[in-house]
Amino acid sequence: MEQQSQLERMGLFDARVPRYTSYPTAVQFSPKVDESRYREWLAEIPEGASISLYLHVPFCRRLCWFCACRTQGTQSEDPVRAYAEDLLAELALLRDALPRGIRLSRLHWGGGTPTLMPADTMRRVADAVLTAFPLDQGAEFSVEIDPNEIDESRMQALAQAGLTRASIGVQDFDPQIQKVIGRDQSFAVTRRAIDMIRATGIDSVNADILFGLPHQDQTRIANTVHRLLELSPDRIALYGYAHVPWMAKRQVMIPTESLPDPHERLHLFEVAREILLSQGYDEIGIDHFARPGDGLARAQRAGHLRRNFQGYTDDGGEILIGMGASAISRLPQGYAQNAPATPTYVSAIRDGRFSISRGHKFSAEDKWRARMIEALMCDFAISSEEFATGHGLGPGTLAALFGEVSHRFGDLVSTDEDGLRILPEGRPLTRMVAQMFDAYAMSPAGHSTAI
């Protein structure tokens, strides 16, 4: 209770802070980064470089009311097949724009629902991608799989393409909660999907669940976590539901009065967290859990954990290229985002152009601030030595930055000549601490201006 009171005094229950899967965040993107700039950046990638590639499929059979992703519904395969052709056209543009010898360290298909693609379309897309950019030794190929939208033929197509990791959305197994959030997915359907995945020889399975959902209480989230553990996922993301109906219009279907208050949300997270830790999972960053042998857990122990648009990753590469409507690329020079609206994206691609609509060119300060925020989100610590030697920040600059954080968060953080640490009792405030290093989100008075 005393810790909760201290967290409340620090503003945890009132804060609206970015998730910091990027820095600067997308609200800072502008049209100054266009197709011409993007092509310049692609051309500067070294020959033979290893990159990550993300394919976004924005279609869903049904639109879950809780979801704030940019998706669109379809009951027919025709739009999905047509969109796959546009992805192949973008792939051809990318192949021609990149230097020779590019290989993939990571390939991820997300959405939306990538598994809405028919099996023959999946094979065609995968073959084209891997012909253009072969997988590196030890590379990972992952796909987000909707248990309601997977069958033997599609699963076999993914396995034959080289899938190494499957990601399953669960959210919550409680039938009442599923009804209120528009997500009908029984435990039996989820088990069937995971059994199918493992039967094809794919051992690595991720699962996502949410806390803070309507009608969710401590008993219900505990039941969901215990049921999920019956399926033995290797990695679990425990995300907080963000209720933003002014941004995601479909969330108006969710009654606000059914949502747990901020104090109860913290309790829901802690209940789920304690169960996962008791079952041998390692805690990864602010919202992930992994078995000790999983790549995330190994990366955390080695100090190599990273964060990008997909969340926590063990991919240490500097280049992530996004394909498809709304996809974001991260290159050493900055961010570039495809047109969010599918028709606009499609129009550009069919016209033989990349559909870049906005982005952000990094400054030198952006780079060191981005790394500080990432270090906090991954390791709850910033090393003075890393930023003195790697970014040329003097002890006075670091002391001033750390001093502001120490003044704001008191004994929930620790500072000394080695750097800054968020203490265990202060870790619920990690995103708020990270925001102290966000030059765009803090006014001169030190007050947050971010959404």
Side-chain angles (χ1 to χ4, degrees), residues 142-169:
S142 56
V143 173
E144 295 173 17
I145 293 176
D146 182 343
N148 290 300
E149 298 294 343
I150 191 67
D151 56 25
E152 293 285 353
S153 63
R154 286 180 285 182
M155 195 64 246
Q156 287 296 328
L158 290 173
Q160 290 165 9
L163 184 71
T164 61
R165 180 179 293 277
S167 183
I168 298 286

Side-chain angles (χ1 to χ4, degrees), residues 226-425:
H226 283 300
R227 297 230 73 184
L228 179 60
L229 290 172
E230 293 178 37
L231 306 177
S232 299
D234 303 273
R235 187 183 298 177
I236 296 170
L238 177 60
Y239 294 127
Y241 167 62
H243 191 61
V244 288
W246 56 91
M247 294 173 55
K249 300 302 183 185
R250 71 191 75 164
Q251 290 186 354
V252 300
M253 302 293 292
I254 295 177
T256 303
E257 66 274 11
S258 68
L259 297 170
D261 66 32
H263 294 266
E264 182 61 16
R265 280 174 61 95
L266 181 60
H267 289 311
L268 293 171
F269 175 82
E270 289 298 334
V271 166
R273 173 180 178 271
E274 289 301 324
I275 294 171
L276 294 171
L277 294 179
S278 73
Q279 296 303 307
Y281 284 80
D282 289 350
E283 190 168 12
I284 310 295
I286 64 170
D287 54 19
H288 276 58
F289 299 83
R291 295 196 179 280
D294 182 83
L296 281 189
R298 295 197 303 271
Q300 180 174 256
R301 290 194 296 271
H304 298 155
L305 188 65
R306 294 293 180 263
R307 191 163 171 83
N308 63 21
F309 293 108
Q310 281 82 59
Y312 288 107
T313 179
D314 54 355
D315 179 16
E318 195 175 12
I319 300 167
L320 167 64
I321 293 179
M323 292 175 50
S326 79
I328 301 175
S329 298
R330 185 196 188 284
L331 296 104
Q333 302 90 336
Y335 296 120
Q337 183 175 20
N338 284 347
T342 303
T344 307
Y345 160 79
V346 166
S347 177
I349 296 300
R350 293 181 184 178
D351 195 36
R353 298 178 289 109
F354 287 113
S355 69
I356 302 301
S357 64
R358 61 179 191 153
H360 180 86
K361 185 178 185 297
F362 295 144
S363 68
E365 182 176 340
D366 285 337
K367 291 182 178 182
W368 64 255
R369 286 185 180 274
R371 176 57 196 141
M372 282 189 173
I373 289 172
E374 181 182 51
L376 287 170
M377 298 294 291
C378 292
D379 305 318
F380 306 108
I382 297 173
S383 163
S384 294
E385 181 180 3
E386 175 184 350
F387 290 90
T389 59
H391 297 274
L393 300 184
T397 299
L398 292 170
L401 289 166
F402 298 164
E404 290 180 9
V405 176
S406 182
H407 177 73
R408 170 73 175 82
F409 295 101
D411 60 2
L412 295 175
V413 300
S414 170
T415 60
D416 56 28
E417 65 274 10
D418 293 327
L420 168 72
R421 288 190 306 121
I422 304 175
L423 300 180
E425 55 269 27

Side-chain angles (χ1 to χ4, degrees), residues 3 5 33 43 51 110 117 163 167 209 216 227 258 302 368 411:
Q3 182 196 10
S5 298
V33 173
I51 69 171
M117 285 191 287
L163 184 71
S167 183
I209 55 176
Q216 200 175 49
R227 297 230 73 184
S258 68
W368 64 255
D411 60 2

Side-chain angles (χ1 to χ4, degrees), residues 99-280:
R100 294 175 297 176
I102 299 296
R103 302 182 70 84
L104 300 183
S105 62
R106 296 289 188 280
L107 172 60
H108 183 70
W109 295 3
T113 309
T115 50
L116 272 185
M117 285 191 287
D120 61 330
T121 302
M122 284 183 176
R123 288 191 180 91
R124 189 154 176 259
V125 171
D127 287 348
V129 169
L130 298 177
T131 298
F133 310 117
L135 293 175
D136 261 342
Q137 183 73 24
E140 184 174 282
F141 174 19
S142 56
V143 173
E144 295 173 17
I145 293 176
D146 182 343
N148 290 300
E149 298 294 343
I150 191 67
D151 56 25
E152 293 285 353
S153 63
R154 286 180 285 182
M155 195 64 246
Q156 287 296 328
L158 290 173
Q160 290 165 9
L163 184 71
T164 61
R165 180 179 293 277
S167 183
I168 298 286
V170 170
Q171 321 321 334
D172 195 290
F173 283 124
D174 186 273
Q176 182 189 12
I177 294 175
Q178 289 185 359
K179 182 178 180 180
V180 174
I181 67 174
R183 173 84 172 201
D184 182 15
Q185 181 182 312
S186 69
F187 178 78
V189 165
T190 307
R191 179 187 285 280
R192 171 184 166 275
I194 290 180
D195 287 347
M196 191 186 304
I197 291 164
R198 289 188 168 132
T200 62
I202 297 153
D203 295 326
S204 297
V205 177
N206 302 357
D208 298 348
I209 55 176
L210 291 174
F211 68 92
L213 290 171
H215 301 300
Q216 200 175 49
D217 59 25
Q218 295 180 40
T219 299
R220 283 175 164 167
I221 197 168
N223 289 340
T224 284
V225 174
H226 283 300
R227 297 230 73 184
L228 179 60
L229 290 172
E230 293 178 37
L231 306 177
S232 299
D234 303 273
R235 187 183 298 177
I236 296 170
L238 177 60
Y239 294 127
Y241 167 62
H243 191 61
V244 288
W246 56 91
M247 294 173 55
K249 300 302 183 185
R250 71 191 75 164
Q251 290 186 354
V252 300
M253 302 293 292
I254 295 177
T256 303
E257 66 274 11
S258 68
L259 297 170
D261 66 32
H263 294 266
E264 182 61 16
R265 280 174 61 95
L266 181 60
H267 289 311
L268 293 171
F269 175 82
E270 289 298 334
V271 166
R273 173 180 178 271
E274 289 301 324
I275 294 171
L276 294 171
L277 294 179
S278 73
Q279 296 303 307

